């Protein structure tokens, strides 16, 4: 609220994510050159964003991704009518 970070989830590697409750590998595979990994993370409790406070949800990747072919990050959401 009010420009403050209310929730942060810093991770250094995939293992950090998989150690969190509610996380799992959904699928993975490789063609001998490229590897894919689909992970799921359920936070169990909703994160409420309020437009009047300019709240936002950000995913920041701070690493060398020069060899990365594709990254997709999605979040389920629900609109609250007030």
């Amino acid at each position: 609220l009010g420009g403050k970070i209310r929730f942060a989830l810093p991770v250094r590697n995939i293992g950090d994510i998989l150690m969190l409750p509610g996380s799992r590998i959904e699928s993975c595979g490789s063609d001998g050159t490229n590897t894919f990994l689909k992970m799921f993370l359920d936070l169990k409790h909703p994160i409420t964003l309020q437009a009047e406070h300019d709240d936002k949800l950000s995913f920041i990747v701070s690493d060398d991704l020069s060899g990365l072919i594709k990254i997709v990050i999605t979040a389920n959401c629900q609109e609250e009518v007030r």
Side-chain angles (χ1 to χ4, degrees):
L1 292 170
K4 295 182 179 157
I5 297 173
R6 293 180 48 205
F7 176 79
L9 185 63
V11 295
R12 293 193 180 270
N13 57 51
I14 292 172
D16 290 347
I17 298 171
L18 293 173
M19 295 294 289
L20 297 169
S23 66
R24 66 179 180 270
I25 294 176
E26 296 255 307
S27 60
C28 62
S30 175
D31 65 5
T33 302
N34 301 302
T35 301
F36 77 88
L37 176 67
K38 181 178 180 183
M39 297 173 41
F40 178 84
L41 175 60
D42 184 354
L43 297 177
K44 299 291 181 200
H45 300 286
I47 299 172
T48 304
L49 304 177
Q50 296 178 325
E52 61 268 21
H53 298 294
D54 292 326
D55 289 351
K56 63 183 176 182
L57 181 63
S58 299
F59 295 92
I60 301 169
V61 179
S62 301
D63 206 345
D64 177 10
L65 302 178
S66 58
L68 186 69
I69 295 171
K70 181 178 180 180
I71 186 169
V72 177
I73 299 174
T74 60
N76 290 335
C77 63
Q78 179 178 1
E79 184 177 359
E80 178 182 83
V81 179
R82 297 186 268 156

